[in-house]
Amino acid sequence: MKRFINYCKEAYTELVHKVSWPSYKELTNSAVVVLVASLVIAVVVWVMDLGFENIMKFIYKQII
């Protein structure tokens, strides 16, 4: 039990004193980058899906 309490104390000390947390501005900038990248990837996947759908429709019209 003593080892566990010691571990918790050391983890807390490391999180409070040794970890460099991002500033609010850095955090906001990172969130915007992730949002924009997600939107770009979503649009690319949507365009690929539309293209594949149209290709498949063309192929099936040729077969039937």
Side-chain angles (χ1 to χ4, degrees):
M1 184 68 175
K2 185 177 179 180
R3 287 177 58 194
F4 177 72
I5 293 172
N6 220 11
Y7 171 78
C8 290
K9 286 180 182 179
E10 288 176 15
Y12 175 78
T13 301
E14 185 170 345
L15 285 172
V16 172
H17 300 292
K18 295 181 182 177
V19 173
S20 60
W21 297 99
S23 68
Y24 182 77
K25 185 176 180 179
E26 292 171 333
L27 193 61
T28 304
N29 288 341
S30 296
V32 169
V33 168
V34 169
L35 179 64
V36 170
S38 298
L39 289 173
V40 167
I41 291 170
V43 168
V44 168
V45 169
W46 178 67
V47 169
M48 290 172 58
D49 183 51
L50 283 177
F52 185 71
E53 180 183 1
N54 289 331
I55 290 169
M56 295 309 292
K57 282 180 181 179
F58 177 75
I59 290 172
Y60 284 130
K61 282 182 184 178
Q62 297 299 321
I63 294 174
I64 297 176

